[in-house]
């Protein structure tokens, strides 16, 4: 069948990333490892002499959105040998040899195959400098065809591959194509989110997602992690805004699902398998995504509530009264504010008169400045009359608005200054969301301080437990309780950040065994040699079943027999 | 792992459907087959003596949203033997016997097993009275456990099963559970969409989808067809709003994915496989879905444009200026209006002064009546000054608004009065969308009349070709041209209505062969005996490969070997 890109769309190069200079008003990304002009999806293959993963601790200051799966685990794993799960190399993988390297050079050229120890070790390190892999080769493919050839080769050679997006900031230009009539962006996976944002904003649109790491993360990484972020409450999940994907499967097959249509009900919608599968089912090489119109007016209010039930009622009221202009509903408890005031420089409490138990940040985005503000004011007034809000203030200029956001986003940074932080990223039905904070507080007692804050509008709680130093005793008070409690509420133990390496074995807290079984069957269908992102997402216990074990073959065969 | 529903949610019975009385302002559903108190997802098993599918034509009057996959095919298949593809029974399926019936009675009771010829024949007939199946047993399970037992039995006995939702209106009550704080509805698959709408509207929310068939279709059917409908432009696809599903797999396994969380990144998001898979991968038994707040103010404008490029520019301007309140952007060409004026009773042209080439209906929905109207007026004025709009009017009351909608929605009904209608439901990038109408017009010449209209905001074209009677000559002018053209634009040959029985063999026009191959592997993984909804969605040529063919087994084994 003839398949070609819709004609007539504007093509433009973004050029290489301006690295290290990207401080954003929201969610600053404090650290970048330098930039190179290498285009597109970067990944490296794990070779034979793989060591156990390990980490070393650095006190990088982070904003609250930094508690990625990696980091969550890092904090626990590195500090408590009791909880550490060192990954043993699977002997089924081949050992990288010089023929392999020659082959890669023959398709990527010398510059696309990096063996230089320094550069490879940068790629082996996660962005927090906590994890270290032991891959000995870094490959920099520039096209889908190159990705396909690499995978096809690695699959037949049983060489494991770790897809990498913007992890360390070593990223480059790419080729976005914009369709202004339909409001649809088509681009390669290696585009940096922030570059895409500026690109579409110039045309009067915005990306449907925004996160603190935007100066560094790739859109391919965003898709693969199903990133949430700051615009989630308004524009929803990537499952709703991604229209099409091009994906290279483990055997090198290019799966062209790169449609730019809003509606297409012809067969199963396969792209969803790859959104959020953390690189374990295929490598995303191209993306088509819906971009909403950019709206000119933003207003931010900072409110206080006396109790958690008022926060809930306020959320309900905001959904009703602010309706189409509501764009953020964040909450923090008293402990968060105290901490922020103590440790964040240049930040002041907008409601200093008396201490309240809870604080809420509400943002609206709409197309009419004065109308939107009037609406927010009326809402605020009504909520005070109804006794939901104890006190409140609306930002009169950008600097006030930034101060409000800085408090909310600085909580994580402030937490780190206390010493040890145990961080959890949970989804819990709103009415139960604060219960875990209180239960945790009574479990921990005076061993530590418990903070509850997060994206209340999305039912996403950030739970931080602070202490002066890490201890096994404290950890025993927290885990597995926090996972078990979340599971009982049918919550998610990873709202935004995926399972990665270390939560792979914890999937059963949020997914039924039937679901995990089906995920495993799908993994085996799509990546039978398990070369993609080994040891991640799914429990090793399920994935390590091998064809040589008769029972397993028969079970699988039974499932697919027709 | 302990998994239980979040406590404290209100439970309420909807009670049986009040059938035959549901006329809606938009998209009336003219026909219902009666009601029964049988609860929940209804389906029936296809038994041994299956005949070829056939149909007979009735001139039921329909609104334009009625061109379901079934109907599209029906028009072509029934009238043109050249295009007919009679389905041959697959001898791999067992023949239903009295032991089977006894078994079903033992789990469902006598009332859950229907053999009465009249009732079974109603269930065998599609809602247009055009298709007739030859199942001899109708099963009415009331719980997930019953669905599971039935499937487990049918799977081991190789009895084929057709899941059925609201197809014929024989539907009943169910158990919705509403969570007002989070705005999330949880319900059983057998709930009628309209009942759910009233239910959540009483609580100040709306369903994220609305369609002409709402008085009859089940939410389980909506999920299984990934229904689009009238709220799509505002609230997007069901992939974005469905939060959780419970699905029974072909072997009876209950797959519990019934989360009510907005964010959950733990493993692969399997529910998406079942959204839009038309009952071929599993039976949806429960649904959790996000419901937006109900907004009080609606405004409708009816505008005219001189050319198609102005319609496109107007869409772009509307996205920008109306932004968050835009809730519909529908377009019709001149031929549609002429037809509507000729055949629809009680309808008048809001812009009668002079004939224009194109007409656009714009709807806004927001939270402030006077502000929204002022905004729409300002937009209209500006668009006239910019020369995009030739003339326009805003509805001053509900009766005017209904008149505007009646024109748009009556086009299909009016079309049928001409005689023969060839109907297509296509997704095409907006800038190319009208080209096919013009090309078709020149191909058809004076053999017929070509109408172009549809959901311009979603890139969804309804293409109707009208003639006094069906003819092979006309069909040859239309097909396969319409599919090939759509394929060349990377469009979809079924924007909303799925592939069903008759477009199963046409999937390659919209999907790559690699994608179809993967869909087939997934079908075989999930339903190895192919008992679910046989002959549908995927091409028989791929699905009919059997285990007895050595090559196929090996190929499959090769794919899953690890
Ligand atoms: C300061 C900061 C703030 C953050 N804020 C948020 C937030 O608000 N919300 C949120 O959800 N997350 C947040 N995160 C987490 C992280 O930024 C996101 O998960 C992001 O989407 C990862 O993109 P990346 O390109 O850096 O991916 P990487 O870290 O490189 O990779 C992430 C995963 O995706 C896979 N992958 C990467 N590219 C591809 C590809 N092309 N094909 C297939 N697989 C691929 C990798 O194998 C890996 O499993 C934040 C992180 C930081 C450091
Ligand atoms: C007047 C009218 C207007 C319409 N308007 C629109 C519109 O605007 N937009 C649109 O997209 N469609 C529209 N349709 C098409 C149709 O209404 C939708 O596809 C609807 O979602 C089907 O629901 P149902 O319950 O009637 O399903 P059915 O017709 O009973 O079944 C549809 C498919 O889903 C499967 N199925 C049903 N229930 C289940 C279940 N519980 N589990 C698994 N599989 C199941 C069936 O096997 C079948 O393949 C319209 C139809 C009519 C008659």
């Amino acid at each position: 069948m003839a398949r070609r890109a819709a004609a007539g769309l504007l093509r433009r190069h973004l050029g290489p990333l301006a690295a290290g200079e990207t401080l954003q008003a929201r969610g600053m990304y404090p650290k970048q490892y330098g930039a190179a002009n290498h285009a597109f999806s970067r990944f490296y293959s794990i070779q034979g002499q793989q060591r156990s993963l390990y980490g070393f601790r650095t006190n990088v200051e982070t904003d609250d959105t930094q508690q990625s799966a990696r980091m969550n685990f890092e904090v626990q794993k590195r500090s408590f040998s009791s909880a550490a799960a060192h990954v043993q190399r699977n002997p089924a993988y081949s050992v990288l040899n010089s023929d392999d390297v020659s082959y890669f050079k023959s398709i990527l050229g010398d510059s696309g195959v990096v063996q230089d120890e320094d550069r490879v070790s940068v790629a082996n390190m996660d962005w927090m400098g906590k994890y270290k892999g032991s891959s000995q080769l870094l490959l920099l493919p520039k096209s889908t065809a190159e990705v396909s050839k690499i995978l096809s080769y690695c699959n037949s050679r049983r060489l494991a591959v770790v897809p990498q997006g913007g992890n360390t900031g070593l990223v480059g230009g790419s080729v976005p194509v914009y369709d202004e009539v339909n409001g649809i962006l088509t681009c390669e996976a290696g585009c940096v989110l922030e570059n895409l944002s500026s690109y579409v904003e110039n045309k009067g649109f915005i990306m449907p997602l925004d996160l603190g790491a935007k100066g560094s993360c790739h859109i391919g990484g965003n898709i693969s992690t199903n990133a949430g972020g700051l615009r989630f409450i308004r524009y929803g999940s990537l499952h709703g805004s991604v229209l099409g994907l091009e994906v290279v499967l483990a055997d090198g097959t290019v799966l062209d699902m790169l449609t730019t249509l809003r509606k297409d009900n012809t067969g199963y919608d396969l792209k969803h398998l790859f959104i959020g599968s953390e690189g374990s089912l295929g490598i995303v090489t191209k993306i088509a995504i819906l971009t909403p119109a950019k709206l000119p007016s933003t207003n931010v209010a900072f409110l206080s509530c006396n109790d958690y039930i008022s926060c809930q009622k306020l959320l309900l009221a905001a959904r009703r009264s602010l309706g189409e202009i509501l764009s953020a509903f964040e909450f923090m408890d008293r402990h968060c504010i105290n901490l922020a005031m103590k440790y964040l420089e240049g930040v002041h409490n907008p409601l200093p008169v008396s201490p309240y138990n809870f604080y809420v940040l509400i943002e609206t985005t709409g197309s009419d400045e004065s109308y939107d503000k009037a609406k927010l004011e009326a809402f605020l007034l009504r909520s005070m009359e109804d006794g939901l809000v104890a006190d409140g203030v609306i930002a009169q200029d950008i600097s006030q608005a930034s101060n409000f956001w800085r408090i909310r986003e600085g909580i994580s940074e402030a937490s780190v200054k206390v010493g040890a932080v145990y961080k959890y990223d949970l989804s819990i039905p709103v009415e139960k969301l604060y219960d875990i904070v209180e239960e945790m507080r009574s479990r921990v007692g005076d061993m530590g301080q418990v903070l509850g804050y997060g994206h209340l509008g999305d039912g996403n709680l950030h739970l931080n437990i602070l202490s002066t130093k890490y201890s096994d005793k404290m950890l025993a008070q927290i885990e597995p309780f926090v996972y078990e409690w979340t599971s009982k509420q049918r919550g998610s133990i990873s709202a935004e950040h995926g399972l990665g390496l270390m939560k792979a074995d914890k999937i059963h807290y949020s997914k039924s065994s039937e679901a995990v079984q089906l995920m495993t069957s799908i993994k085996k269908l799509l990546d039978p040699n398990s070369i993609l992102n080994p040891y991640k997402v799914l429990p090793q216990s399920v994935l390590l079943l091998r064809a040589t074990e008769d029972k397993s073959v028969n079970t699988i065969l039974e499932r697919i027999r027709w």
Side-chain angles (χ1 to χ4, degrees), chain A:
Chain A
M1 178 185 46
R3 296 184 68 82
R4 59 183 167 82
L9 303 179
L10 178 68
R11 294 189 170 267
R12 205 192 99 175
H13 273 271
L14 274 186
L17 172 78
E21 312 158 332
T22 48
L23 282 195
Q24 298 135 37
R26 288 198 206 160
M28 282 165 289
Y29 180 60
K31 199 173 161 189
Q32 251 165 346
Y33 295 90
N37 286 349
H38 305 298
F40 190 42
S41 182
R42 183 167 71 92
F43 61 85
Y44 56 96
S45 67
I46 288 185
Q47 60 81 51
Q49 285 78 34
Q50 183 167 12
R51 302 190 298 276
S52 308
L53 294 180
Y54 65 93
F56 49 88
R57 185 151 175 264
T58 55
N59 258 332
V60 176
E61 296 188 1
T62 69
D63 78 346
D64 75 303
T65 43
Q66 291 171 357
Q67 67 284 41
S68 70
R70 265 183 220 99
M71 183 170 159
N72 276 342
F73 287 123
E74 201 45 49
V75 170
Q76 302 150 28
K77 300 302 172 192
R78 282 180 310 95
S79 314
F80 309 99
S81 53
S82 63
H86 292 292
V87 173
Q88 293 306 318
R89 180 171 192 276
N90 181 343
Y93 297 121
S94 303
V95 176
L96 189 81
N97 63 32
S98 60
D99 287 351
D100 299 330
V101 176
S102 306
Y103 175 77
F104 293 132
K105 286 187 175 165
S106 79
I107 49 171
L108 302 176
D110 282 2
S111 65
V113 180
V114 180
Q115 289 179 290
D116 173 75
E117 260 183 45
D118 287 352
R119 287 181 65 197
V120 172
S121 90
V122 167
N124 265 318
M125 193 82 78
D126 82 299
W127 86 274
M128 292 289 287
K130 290 180 168 179
Y131 271 107
K132 198 170 176 309
S134 45
S135 300
Q136 304 204 339
L137 199 64
L138 172 64
L139 301 178
L140 303 165
K142 289 191 193 68
S143 68
T144 304
E146 288 177 2
V147 175
S148 170
K149 280 185 194 153
I150 293 167
L151 286 192
S152 161
Y153 180 84
C154 291
N155 190 45
S156 64
R157 275 278 291 132
R158 306 288 193 270
L159 288 168
V161 174
V162 181
Q164 199 169 79
N167 187 29
T168 56
L170 258 177
V171 292
S174 200
V175 189
V177 176
Y178 198 67
D179 169 352
E180 296 189 43
V181 178
N182 300 291
I184 294 161
L185 174 76
T186 307
C187 66
E188 289 178 343
C191 291
V192 174
L193 180 60
E194 185 171 46
N195 291 355
L196 294 176
S197 278
S198 327
Y199 177 74
V200 302
E201 282 187 24
N202 278 336
K203 297 168 187 300
F205 294 82
I206 60 169
M207 293 297 285
L209 77 164
D210 182 21
L211 35 129
K214 72 172 163 185
S216 178
C217 63
H218 288 187
I219 184 76
N222 300 147
I223 304 295
S224 304
T225 54
N226 187 29
L230 304 164
R231 290 179 185 156
F232 191 95
I233 192 180
R234 179 70 165 260
Y235 298 111
S237 134
L238 286 174
H239 287 282
S241 29
V242 172
L243 297 178
L245 293 180
E246 181 189 75
V247 173
V248 182
L249 300 181
D251 65 0
T253 302
V254 178
L255 198 58
D256 176 358
M257 306 168 291
L258 198 64
T259 172
T260 54
L261 307 168
R262 275 163 207 246
K263 287 176 171 179
D264 176 19
N265 278 348
T266 54
Y268 312 149
D269 202 342
L270 298 172
K271 67 170 178 280
H272 295 286
L273 276 178
F274 302 95
I275 299 175
S277 63
E278 302 182 52
S280 64
L281 295 181
I283 305 216
V284 176
T285 49
K286 290 187 187 131
I287 289 110
I289 190 167
L290 215 45
T291 59
K294 183 178 173 179
L295 301 173
S297 125
T298 300
N299 285 290
V300 191
F302 198 88
L303 320 174
S304 62
C305 301
N306 287 321
D307 45 32
Y308 182 67
I309 185 83
S310 300
C311 300
Q312 282 183 58
K313 287 188 182 159
L314 193 67
L315 172 60
L316 194 62
R319 282 230 173 85
R320 293 224 166 114
S321 308
L322 300 174
E324 67 275 16
I325 60 170
L326 183 65
S327 61
F329 194 105
E330 302 286 319
F331 98 112
M332 299 143 268
D333 65 17
R334 175 164 58 88
H335 308 271
C336 298
I337 301 288
N338 294 345
L339 197 80
M341 292 312 133
K342 186 162 171 191
Y343 290 109
L344 298 181
E345 260 175 59
V347 158
H348 61 273
N349 187 348
L351 304 172
V353 186
S354 64
Y356 302 97
N357 287 325
F358 294 93
Y359 295 82
V360 169
L361 185 159
I362 293 180
E363 188 192 74
T364 64
T365 310
S367 50
D368 187 313
E369 184 64 38
S370 59
Y371 168 77
D372 291 353
K373 195 163 204 161
K375 204 169 169 184
L376 183 58
E377 278 163 1
F379 168 72
L380 190 45
L381 220 67
R382 222 168 28 246
S383 305
M384 289 179 87
E385 282 166 15
D386 293 349
L388 300 182
V389 166
D391 198 1
V393 52
I394 296 181
Q396 296 306 314
D397 55 35
I398 286 195
S399 117
Q400 287 186 4
S402 306
N403 178 55
F404 296 178
W405 271 111
R406 177 92 180 101
I407 297 170
R408 164 63 189 84
E409 299 199 315
I411 298 169
S412 186
E413 185 183 328
S415 297
V416 175
K417 303 209 180 173
V418 172
V421 192
Y422 304 78
K423 274 169 164 292
Y424 300 89
D425 169 40
L426 310 171
S427 267
I428 300 168
V430 170
E431 62 278 17
K432 293 272 172 184
L433 186 139
Y434 202 69
D435 292 0
I436 177 85
V437 184
E438 285 169 343
E439 288 202 38
M440 195 56 88
R441 210 161 266 151
S442 77
R443 286 180 71 88
V444 161
D446 51 15
M447 284 167 65
Q449 194 186 350
V450 180
L451 311 184
Y453 62 104
H455 317 288
L456 196 66
D458 310 325
N460 188 177
L461 172 74
H462 294 313
L463 176 68
N464 284 9
I465 298 125
L466 314 186
S467 181
T468 44
K469 62 176 178 34
Y470 291 104
S471 78
D472 282 351
K473 199 176 152 210
M474 177 73 113
L475 188 66
Q477 283 305 99
I478 302 174
E479 293 187 24
F481 171 78
V482 62
Y483 295 126
E484 285 169 357
W485 191 95
T486 305
S487 178
K488 274 201 207 114
Q489 309 303 327
R490 301 200 62 148
S492 172
I493 59 159
S494 181
E496 293 191 327
H497 295 138
L499 294 168
L501 185 65
M502 303 308 260
K503 277 191 199 167
D505 285 329
K506 299 205 162 57
I507 191 172
H508 61 280
Y509 284 114
S510 288
K511 291 287 155 75
S512 71
S513 62
E514 294 82 4
V516 175
Q517 178 53 50
L518 181 52
M519 290 180 205
T520 308
S521 302
I522 286 172
K523 167 75 177 172
K524 288 184 174 178
L525 180 71
L526 283 160
D527 182 16
N529 297 317
S530 207
I531 63 161
L532 284 173
N533 225 355
Y535 320 116
K536 310 219 179 97
V537 187
L538 295 171
Q540 286 304 297
S541 50
V542 196
L543 278 176
L544 279 178
L545 288 173
R546 298 186 46 73
T548 45
E549 293 164 38
D550 263 1
K551 194 174 150 291
S552 139
V553 168
N554 288 340
T555 313
I556 296 167
L557 191 57
E558 188 53 43
R559 285 210 69 121
I560 58 98
R561 188 170 289 138
W562 140 275

